[in-house]
Amino acid sequence: MANVYEEGQHVKHGQYGLGTILASDEDRTAIDFVQHGTKKFVTSLVVLELTDEQPAKKAKKAARARRAVKSKK
């Protein structure tokens, strides 16, 4: 049986780094990574390390876009 993770758990992935579990069941696990966005994995194949380390907060894209538009004026 595959590890099913709880929503909100913080994990570390070898390639994508720190992330937060969005959803997990016996078939699929979705994780939101700070640098790489949301990725979906086959639960039975994904190798994750549970961690207490919290991923950095993402900057909101809309706010960044508004700043770019204002600076061009």
Side-chain angles (χ1 to χ4, degrees):
M1 181 172 163
N3 287 337
V4 176
Y5 300 93
E6 291 182 33
E7 183 178 336
Q9 281 185 308
H10 300 294
V11 295
K12 190 179 291 186
H13 183 269
Q15 181 175 352
Y16 299 114
L18 292 175
T20 304
I21 301 291
L22 296 176
S24 183
D25 62 28
E26 291 181 3
D27 297 320
R28 301 274 186 245
T29 296
I31 306 170
D32 183 32
F33 294 100
V34 174
Q35 298 292 321
H36 301 280
T38 301
K39 303 288 183 190
K40 294 181 182 175
F41 300 91
V42 174
T43 301
S44 62
L45 299 178
V46 68
V47 177
L48 299 172
E49 177 185 336
L50 292 176
T51 181
D52 291 334
E53 193 175 348
Q54 293 199 10
K57 301 281 184 194
K58 288 185 181 182
K60 293 188 178 182
K61 293 180 183 179
R64 208 175 320 153
R66 281 193 301 271
R67 284 193 300 267
V69 169
K70 286 181 181 180
S71 64
K72 289 181 182 180
K73 291 182 180 180

